[in-house]
Amino acid sequence: MRSVTSASVPARPRPVVLEAVLERVTYANDDTGYTVARVATERTGSELLTVVGALLGAQVGESLRLTGRWRSHPKYGRQFEVESYTTVLPATVQGIRRYLGSGMIKGIGPVMADRMVSHFGTDILRVIEEEPERLVEVPGLGPKRTKRIADAWEEQKAIKEVMVFLQGVGVSTSLAVRIYKQYGDASIDTVRREPYRLAADVWGIGFKTADTIAQAVGIPHDSPERIKAGLRYTLSEAADDGHCFLPEPNLVTAAEKVLGVPRDLIGPALDDLVQEEGVVREAIPGAGEEGVTIPAVYLVPFHRAERSLANGLRELLDAGLDRLKSFTDVDWSKALAWLRTKTGSELAPEQEEAVRLALTSKVSVLTGGPGCGKSFTVRSIVELAAAKKATIVLAAPTGRAAKRLAELTGHEAATVHRLLGLQPGGDAKFDQDNPLDADLVVVDECSMVDLILANKLVKAVPRGAHLLLVGDVDQLPSVGAGEVLADLLAAEAVPRVRLTKIFRQAQRSGIVVNAHRVNSGQHPQTQGFPDFFLFPCEEPDAAAELTVDVVANRIPRKFGLDPRRDVQVLAPMHRGAAGAGALNGLLQEALTPHDEGRPERRYGGRVFRVGDKVTQLRNNYDKGEAGVFNGTVGVVTSVSLEEHLLTVRTDEDEDIDYSFDELDELAHAYAVTIHRSQGSEYPAVVIPLTTSSWMMLRRNLLYTGITRAKKLVVLVGSRRALAAAVRTAGAGRRHTALTHRISR
């Protein structure tokens, strides 16, 4: 057998070290950390070099010591491939000025950096480190600001120490910052001793990241603590998929895959978790044969919320007091005749039924598709209640939906979160001990209200008041756990009306007609309507390019709509060439491109600029007047490198400040997933449909996307993908027991 000599295989170049200043990041992938950047070196001066590799976390303006190899890319030419890097303090006046002026140190912007370097020269970094009190020598720096700069410098040093340790156990820079914010000086000790705590304490760190750290610090693979953490993670993932519980066999099977341990180790760990009250095990009646039960396992908050919501609804239904008692013996023919003169329109028979039901039943549900008159029915209910001097409270899950409800009824409306006065920690100002002042509570867009929020809402409704829940049950269920609207419609104890008749004027709308066609499994009519179009395009990359052209050029040119304010791209999924993630990057470059004269801030794979459309990714009860919530949309109005502050004007017209280390709570919202669009309404909607989204193409997904549009729907992409979405029924029911709990 012939041996392979070193002469027959080209030797891989040995690693070399490159000292450089990071000038610009041209691409960064949040998931992999892969980054393409431009750097300056002393030798090349103003000519920038390209470096590629795992650079996520490095900030523009930092001096880096890069270890890697030079290579020649067939398309992009000579590049430096980074294998590892460390940050170093710059040594030249130019490098120090760039470093300090880049927004790295809170309290120092470009102007102040110039002054500081002009005064101290290359000695400035030593002065900040060793003699910060001397900074008052710089014009414009007083004692207060000097202390801020010194404190920020110390915090940067402490975070760097944590980062060095965490990078050794596979944690990204952005997560290291979050860990430091949570545990401070105890960060390294906590990570070493209790790595699974991170999954519970630090937003953005799940079991898998904690498990990677745990393995790196020597936690055994079959440790009971690891198995219990894996079980909690499995239930948490199920909740993210909408389930309130998992049947025990499903939980054990799923946890076995996650943990990679023998099945016989999982049962005892689950028993321990039940004993420790980390989870709840309960027998729930099955859907099939009578007497058969499911051993359901819940995370504690979902078990409490489901029981509490069912009890609260039953108490409202059974209340002896009636705050709208005048409607029990009203002359309905007179009342409806008065209503006709007030609104100028006649109610259809099923609308009349809904009006009577809402005003005579203490809990009722109104559902129906677009064009069936839900809005006019709600307006009629509010008009009649107001005529009897009732105290009316109106709410919806999102700011946009609340504004729409207010415009429709002429009465003030709020988001559910604001209505309840949710406070830091998630407790509500209004609850069973301090109920709302209301005779009638109307909540719109209830398909997107999850179990936890529904429970808080029902607790705040005073006994004897009437609660009307309005929504389209055929839309996607809530992003959070549960499917409250569907569960209530399935509970015989809860009165309901379903509107089915499409009104004549709505039949001229392609949006309304095609929404109903899709909902019934028919292909939409893509020709002959002035408000519904299909641009065929088979390849995902081409569909992404065409989507950007439709948003940035074609719709504004033909319909005069603003591409940022009026047009929303709704994608079936986040990943993929035509997914929301990739489209956000393309749309940002088309609508809010880089401008040398405007400040911007990079965080991980995202860069934030003034004018960007953004969305909140988590509930944060500490921000704003009443918290900022997952799905809140806004526009970036300012970026201050000196103050480390970015400001967003939300769609509720509130200005919310984010420090730079909180930017992981924001994502761009030029394109969002259809799931995240629930409860919102936009003048124009563009939906990219490609076969790369095959697993997500469902009838209720497409139906929900179409029904988010007021004036215009444009589908872009594959006819095959469109056909798949139309013919594929929605995913099966979620694991919930609310209907059973209400009915028993």
Side-chain angles (χ1 to χ4, degrees), residues 278-357:
V279 298
V280 176
R281 185 193 268 138
E282 182 185 354
I284 300 292
E289 196 178 326
E290 194 172 335
V292 175
T293 60
I294 297 168
V297 183
Y298 287 80
L299 288 171
V300 173
F302 298 109
H303 186 257
R304 284 181 182 157
E306 196 174 76
R307 290 182 63 188
S308 173
L309 175 57
N311 291 339
L313 286 166
R314 284 207 308 270
E315 284 175 20
L316 286 178
L317 284 163
D318 298 340
L321 176 69
D322 190 344
R323 288 172 173 251
L324 293 179
K325 199 170 189 324
S326 56
F327 285 101
T328 54
D329 54 3
V330 76
D331 184 331
W332 282 104
S333 59
K334 283 186 179 177
L336 294 172
W338 173 86
L339 186 64
R340 273 195 300 276
T341 63
K342 183 80 174 168
T343 63
S345 298
E346 184 131 9
L347 290 167
E350 56 188 18
Q351 288 178 306
E352 278 190 23
E353 183 190 352
V355 169
R356 292 187 192 199
L357 194 68

Side-chain angles (χ1 to χ4, degrees), residues 274-476:
V274 172
Q275 287 296 315
E276 295 163 10
E277 299 184 352
V279 298
V280 176
R281 185 193 268 138
E282 182 185 354
I284 300 292
E289 196 178 326
E290 194 172 335
V292 175
T293 60
I294 297 168
V297 183
Y298 287 80
L299 288 171
V300 173
F302 298 109
H303 186 257
R304 284 181 182 157
E306 196 174 76
R307 290 182 63 188
S308 173
L309 175 57
N311 291 339
L313 286 166
R314 284 207 308 270
E315 284 175 20
L316 286 178
L317 284 163
D318 298 340
L321 176 69
D322 190 344
R323 288 172 173 251
L324 293 179
K325 199 170 189 324
S326 56
F327 285 101
T328 54
D329 54 3
V330 76
D331 184 331
W332 282 104
S333 59
K334 283 186 179 177
L336 294 172
W338 173 86
L339 186 64
R340 273 195 300 276
T341 63
K342 183 80 174 168
T343 63
S345 298
E346 184 131 9
L347 290 167
E350 56 188 18
Q351 288 178 306
E352 278 190 23
E353 183 190 352
V355 169
R356 292 187 192 199
L357 194 68
L359 296 171
T360 56
S361 298
K362 293 178 193 124
V363 178
S364 57
V365 177
L366 172 62
T367 190
C372 293
K374 282 199 309 295
S375 296
F376 183 65
T377 305
V378 169
R379 181 188 161 194
S380 300
I381 291 164
V382 171
E383 290 278 11
L384 284 169
K388 294 288 189 182
K389 302 290 190 288
T391 303
I392 301 162
V393 169
L394 307 176
T398 67
R400 286 180 185 234
K403 278 184 184 176
R404 193 169 69 241
L405 187 58
E407 290 163 5
L408 167 72
T409 60
H411 288 256
E412 190 178 334
T415 63
V416 177
H417 300 95
R418 280 185 184 276
L419 175 69
L420 298 177
L422 291 179
Q423 298 160 335
D427 291 330
K429 178 184 174 185
F430 294 100
D431 56 20
Q432 65 265 48
D433 298 322
N434 181 33
L436 297 163
D437 178 20
D439 301 321
L440 171 66
V441 178
V442 180
V443 186
D444 200 6
E445 293 287 357
C446 279
S447 62
M448 72 173 294
V449 175
D450 63 29
L451 174 69
I452 300 292
L453 187 59
N455 179 43
K456 291 180 192 293
L457 172 69
V458 167
K459 277 183 181 178
V461 177
R463 300 302 172 256
H466 288 222
L467 173 63
L468 171 63
L469 301 171
V470 184
D472 185 347
V473 75
D474 293 321
Q475 289 181 19
L476 290 168

Side-chain angles (χ1 to χ4, degrees), residues 22 24-29 33-38 50-53 55 79 602:
L22 184 58
R24 191 165 69 245
V25 176
T26 55
Y27 170 79
N29 185 304
Y34 181 80
T35 304
V36 179
R38 302 280 279 165
T50 299
V51 299
V52 299
L55 272 173
Q79 300 177 337
R602 179 169 290 279

